[in-house]
């Protein structure tokens, strides 16, 4: 199989990935916005649930920072080479 990776393809890929990360961020924000409701509904169990939400948010923020670095590096590289030819062999 052979395919070309170019600037436009990388931009589309990074935008789709950003969209996915936005969806995750929205879910985390939605959970955070229910803090009072969760606290009332869960009682004693709230602390462990709240801790998990905070951990998810922290992990997501770290992943987002790393993703931004990857996209910046990919864009810098694509600006230099403009396209990459990729050839994959299936072992034949």
């Amino acid at each position: 199989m052979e395919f070309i990776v170019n600037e436009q393809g990388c931009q589309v890929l990074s935008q789709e990935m950003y969209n996915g990360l936005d969806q995750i961020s929205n879910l985390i924000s939605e959970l955070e916005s229910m803090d009072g409701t969760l606290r009332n509904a869960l009682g004693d169990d709230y602390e462990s649930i709240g801790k998990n939400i905070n951990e998810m948010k922290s992990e997501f923020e770290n992943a987002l920072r790393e993703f931004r670095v990857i996209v910046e590096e990919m864009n810098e590289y694509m600006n230099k080479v403009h396209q990459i030819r990729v050839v994959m062999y299936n072992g034949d």
Side-chain angles (χ1 to χ4, degrees):
M1 175 187 345
E2 180 176 316
F3 57 95
I4 302 292
V5 179
N6 60 21
E7 290 175 85
Q8 181 182 6
C10 288
Q11 289 170 350
V12 169
L13 174 63
S14 61
Q15 187 57 53
E16 287 179 7
M17 293 168 69
Y18 272 123
N19 291 343
L21 291 171
D22 281 343
Q23 291 174 350
I24 294 169
S25 177
N26 291 338
L27 290 172
I28 293 171
S29 294
E30 189 176 327
L31 286 172
E32 286 181 315
S33 72
M34 292 188 237
D35 187 66
T37 305
L38 288 172
R39 185 179 296 274
N40 291 333
L42 297 172
D44 293 339
D45 293 332
Y46 170 78
E47 293 303 321
S48 64
I49 301 288
K51 182 179 176 183
N52 287 339
I53 291 170
N54 288 334
E55 288 175 7
M56 283 190 311
K57 183 177 179 181
S58 176
E59 289 175 13
F60 174 76
E61 289 169 351
N62 289 337
L64 185 57
R65 276 192 294 277
E66 290 178 24
F67 175 72
R68 285 185 177 134
V69 169
I70 290 169
V71 168
E72 287 174 20
E73 289 175 352
M74 179 178 67
N75 288 335
E76 286 176 18
Y77 184 73
M78 291 308 300
N79 286 334
K80 291 177 186 172
V81 298
H82 302 292
Q83 77 176 22
I84 302 167
R85 180 171 174 253
V86 178
V87 179
M88 299 177 72
Y89 297 98
N90 62 3
D92 293 336

